[in-house]
Amino acid sequence: MKLYIAVGTAVLLVMAIFIIVFVAYYQQKQIRQQLALKELQEKYRKELMAATLQAQEHERRRIAQDLHDEIGTMLSVTKLSLNQLGRTVEHNDPGSTMLVQKTRSLLDETISNVRRISRDLVPTTLERFGLVSALEELAEKASHGEVHVELSCSEKIPVLAPHLNLTLYRIAQELTNNAIKHANASNIVIDLHCRPGEVLLSVVDDGHGFDLDEILKDKRRGLGLRNIESRLSVIDGHVTFDVARGRGSRIIIQVKNPRPEVQVEVETV
Amino acid sequence: MLERFIQLITDFPLWFISDLFLLLAVAAGLVNLSFLNKPFYWLLILISLTLSIELAMTIYAAYRQNNHYLINLTSLVEMVCLAIVYAKEIRSPRSRMIIYGLGLIYLIAFLINFEWTRIADYMIGIQRISMIIFVFLHFQSLLVSMRVTNLFSHAMFWVSAGVLIYATGTLFVFLFVNKTLRDPSGDFTWYMIFTQSFSGFFYFVIALSFWLRRREVRMVEHSGL
Ligand SMILES: Nc1ncnc2c1ncn2[C@@H]1O[C@H](COP(=O)(O)OP(=O)(O)OP(=O)(O)O)[C@@H](O)[C@H]1O
Ligand SMILES: [Mg+2]
């Protein structure tokens, strides 16, 4: 009997151990698959986001081109014929001269508005002269009346990939706009500097601040901050809100810069 | 008095080792008390009750009195506590129904088969089979829910593995108890040592699992969840 029991038990034990090993193996395999699936989904989400952002930029570029080439041209032509009309009217009907002049100045204003809008839609400066110049231009344009916007920037800014440049620029644009629109700030500082392998962009204002939790809970809030987050998710960036009600805000963007540190400083020949 | 205990130890050294593991398990449970959740809490109760029964058994043995009803009691304690452990650990209502059903069948068998001077017939066999089913239910829930990311550091998995080895290792001895432990011409001591080694292993795994539980909780705290 002892032998039967011993052998039977041994067989059972082998089966039990087999089951334990099988459960462990199978479960771990499933978990790995699940993780891989999640990663894939995350990657897909990022790609979708990147594609959306790119499509947005394309669309902007198209609108800017149409504005500039079609409406701009039409307006110029209109101005030409208005000038002709003006000359005819000056001789025959001096009373209408005033009206023609008024129309002309309205037209001029419209032309410069169209040019401004089409230039704002596409960050031409960014593409031609780089991030620092684009931010300088942004600061200059945003400074208006009471509001003073200033760029502070360490002199050694490495060359960044074009999509990083664009992302940082768009974010700086939104943050500056927010500070002007909501904070009632008079001094805004856009700060750009680099650490090894990392670029930091922060926008600091001296306005009245806000409560981040409250804003994030608000379902009807604007798109600005959300867009910043989705833009950053594409490039694995990180945003830190150092904000509170009753004091100025500081919003810091951290972006990894995988490129080797290539200095932008012009080499002296 | 002391000589009798020493005599016991030298007669049944393996028995003593398994009791040592039991003591170790209770100590491990108490040390890690603050890390235990409900199922582990019940595991600690199981181990503590087993320890007290084991102590009583040793005293009976030292005075050479029949202590077989205590073996039956140990089975009852194991069954009730493990049923609660698994009912708390496995959240699915269907599994719970099965656990409670098995518990009920066991209790009926207990009432019918309990004996004061002999190891009960069938009852402990039913207990071992129920334990195996509990473990299967737990394994199934692990595979279905996929909530555990690292199974090897999941303390409850090791408890189940221990329970499974313990139950399968002692199943035949208790299933054919009439031909093994209850057989007057059989080798009672051999079978007892056989089962006791598996008990020792089980207590050892439980002792380990209390530490694993501590590590698991710590790890979750560290990952900030
Ligand atoms: N610098 C700031 N100072 C004070 N309040 C701010 C600042 N930035 C954002 N806020 C608050 O956070 C809210 C959300 O900003 P967000 O940029 O997401 O939306 P928005 O600017 O209102 O709309 P949109 O950007 O889509 O035009 C704002 O409505 C404002 O109340
Ligand atoms: Mg905004």
Side-chain angles (χ1 to χ4, degrees):
Chain A
M1 194 63 206
K2 269 198 234 171
L3 187 69
Y4 288 137
I5 294 284
V7 171
T9 303
V11 170
L12 270 191
L13 276 179
V14 169
M15 276 161 64
I17 290 171
F18 177 78
I19 287 170
I20 294 167
V21 171
F22 171 77
V23 168
Y25 169 77
Y26 187 74
Q27 205 263 1
Q28 289 304 85
K29 197 177 132 195
Q30 295 276 86
I31 288 286
R32 270 199 302 275
Q33 269 175 1
Q34 222 175 35
L35 284 182
L37 188 71
K38 251 191 209 150
E39 240 163 60
L40 207 69
Q41 274 171 345
E42 180 65 13
K43 191 169 153 252
Y44 177 69
R45 205 188 55 76
K46 257 187 203 172
E47 274 170 11
L48 198 69
M49 198 73 220
T52 313
L53 290 175
Q54 208 175 11
Q56 203 181 45
E57 291 296 334
H58 272 304
E59 194 62 2
R60 281 194 179 156
R61 196 172 296 269
R62 197 184 60 78
I63 294 172
Q65 255 165 20
D66 285 359
L67 266 181
H68 182 269
D69 295 355
E70 292 180 21
I71 302 197
T73 316
M74 288 306 282
L75 284 174
S76 303
V77 175
T78 314
K79 194 176 160 191
L80 272 178
S81 41
L82 185 71
N83 284 346
Q84 265 172 9
L85 182 69
R87 277 196 286 279
T88 344
V89 164
E90 252 172 65
H91 296 296
N92 310 343
D93 183 5
S96 300
T97 316
M98 274 295 283
L99 196 64
V100 169
Q101 239 154 32
K102 204 174 156 200
T103 312
R104 193 184 292 147
S105 73
L106 275 176
L107 203 55
D108 278 341
E109 204 177 316
T110 312
I111 288 173
S112 70
N113 270 347
V114 165
R115 284 180 65 192
R116 185 181 54 76
I117 292 170
S118 64
R119 224 180 311 130
D120 281 355
L121 277 171
V122 184
T124 332
T125 317
L126 182 71
E127 279 157 21
R128 287 214 198 124
F129 304 104
L131 184 61
V132 177
S133 312
L135 290 179
E136 249 162 27
E137 192 191 67
L138 174 70
E140 197 181 301
K141 275 192 197 159
S143 295
H144 193 74
E146 309 259 283
V147 186
H148 182 72
V149 186
E150 172 187 335
L151 175 70
S152 125
C153 163
S154 59
E155 59 271 42
K156 287 179 192 165
I157 300 292
V159 177
L160 303 176
H163 70 281
L164 282 186
N165 268 341
L166 188 66
T167 304
L168 287 174
Y169 178 73
R170 290 287 184 213
I171 291 175
Q173 216 175 11
E174 168 62 25
L175 290 177
T176 316
N177 270 346
N178 273 356
I180 295 169
K181 257 201 303 192
H182 309 295
N184 207 3
S186 49
N187 283 303
I188 301 169
V189 179
I190 305 172
D191 183 279
L192 181 72
H193 68 268
C194 289
R195 284 198 212 144
E198 191 180 52
V199 185
L200 291 168
L201 169 82
S202 58
V203 175
V204 187
D205 68 54
D206 60 352
H208 54 56
F210 63 107
D211 185 348
L212 185 67
D213 290 334
E214 213 169 90
I215 298 291
L216 291 184
K217 261 184 253 157
D218 186 1
K219 288 211 176 62
R220 287 165 307 145
R221 73 197 166 105
L223 289 177
L225 297 184
R226 233 177 308 192
N227 277 347
I228 291 178
E229 265 158 20
S230 34
R231 275 181 197 283
L232 285 175
S233 80
V234 174
I235 55 168
D236 287 325
H238 189 71
V239 56
T240 315
F241 291 94
D242 175 14
V243 298
R245 189 164 276 157
R247 65 168 168 87
S249 319
R250 172 196 292 269
I251 296 158
I252 305 151
I253 309 290
Q254 260 169 299
V255 173
K256 285 206 182 62
N257 180 29
R259 282 214 192 170
E261 309 274 299
V262 186
Q263 248 76 73
V264 81
E265 280 174 316
V266 188
E267 281 169 33
T268 43
V269 188
Chain B
M1 168 89 192
L2 200 63
E3 293 133 43
R4 285 184 173 176
F5 283 111
I6 292 167
Q7 180 72 32
L8 265 182
I9 294 170
T10 46
D11 282 355
F12 305 99
L14 208 67
W15 194 298
F16 201 71
I17 290 175
S18 101
D19 279 358
L20 221 57
F21 282 141
L22 186 56
L23 206 64
L24 196 74
V26 174
L30 288 176
V31 169
N32 298 311
L33 196 62
S34 57
F35 297 95
L36 305 186
N37 57 358
K38 282 245 174 71
F40 275 93
Y41 198 66
W42 277 97
L43 214 56
L44 180 58
I45 292 177
L46 158 67
I47 288 289
S48 315
L49 287 178
T50 312
L51 180 65
S52 13
I53 294 176
E54 202 69 25
L55 274 179
M57 235 152 134
T58 319
I59 292 169
Y60 272 91
Y63 287 96
R64 307 212 168 276
Q65 284 181 10
N66 186 307
N67 58 11
H68 289 184
Y69 83 95
L70 285 171
I71 295 179
N72 295 338
L73 267 190
T74 307
S75 157
L76 176 71
V77 166
E78 276 175 7
M79 181 66 189
V80 171
C81 291
L82 280 179
I84 297 175
V85 166
Y86 281 103
K88 296 222 178 278
E89 178 69 21
I90 308 171
R91 307 237 172 81
S92 120
R94 194 180 61 101
S95 303
R96 277 190 186 170
M97 285 305 293
I98 296 174
I99 291 172
Y100 292 144
L102 287 170
L104 200 69
I105 293 172
Y106 172 82
L107 284 182
I108 292 168
F110 182 84
L111 290 179
I112 294 173
N113 288 323
F114 183 81
E115 286 176 60
W116 287 96
T117 53
R118 289 209 298 174
I119 294 172
D121 200 6
Y122 294 121
M123 180 191 95
I124 302 186
I126 292 177
Q127 184 220 343
R128 298 297 139 112
I129 291 173
S130 308
M131 277 161 70
I132 293 172
I133 295 175
F134 292 171
V135 171
F136 282 178
L137 289 174
H138 182 226
F139 281 172
Q140 187 216 18
S141 84
L142 279 177
L143 289 182
V144 168
S145 78
M146 286 287 148
R147 253 176 304 155
V148 182
T149 38
N150 189 358
L151 199 63
F152 297 108
S153 59
H154 184 50
M156 201 58 203
F157 172 70
W158 293 110
V159 172
S160 279
V163 171
L164 187 62
I165 301 263
Y166 174 50
T168 49
T170 54
L171 175 67
F172 281 150
V173 173
F174 285 110
L175 211 56
F176 305 115
V177 71
N178 276 325
K179 294 211 173 66
T180 58
L181 287 164
R182 277 158 66 104
D183 185 3
S185 62
D187 191 345
F188 180 85
T189 316
W190 189 86
Y191 288 117
M192 219 48 224
I193 286 175
F194 187 86
T195 54
Q196 206 60 29
S197 359
F198 281 103
S199 310
F201 175 77
F202 177 55
Y203 303 141
F204 178 69
V205 170
I206 289 189
L208 275 185
S209 76
F210 283 131
W211 289 102
L212 267 178
R213 171 76 200 162
R214 177 201 197 95
R215 218 175 67 120
E216 201 181 355
V217 173
R218 281 269 170 85
M219 246 157 46
V220 170
E221 277 168 4
H222 271 283
S223 64
L225 285 169

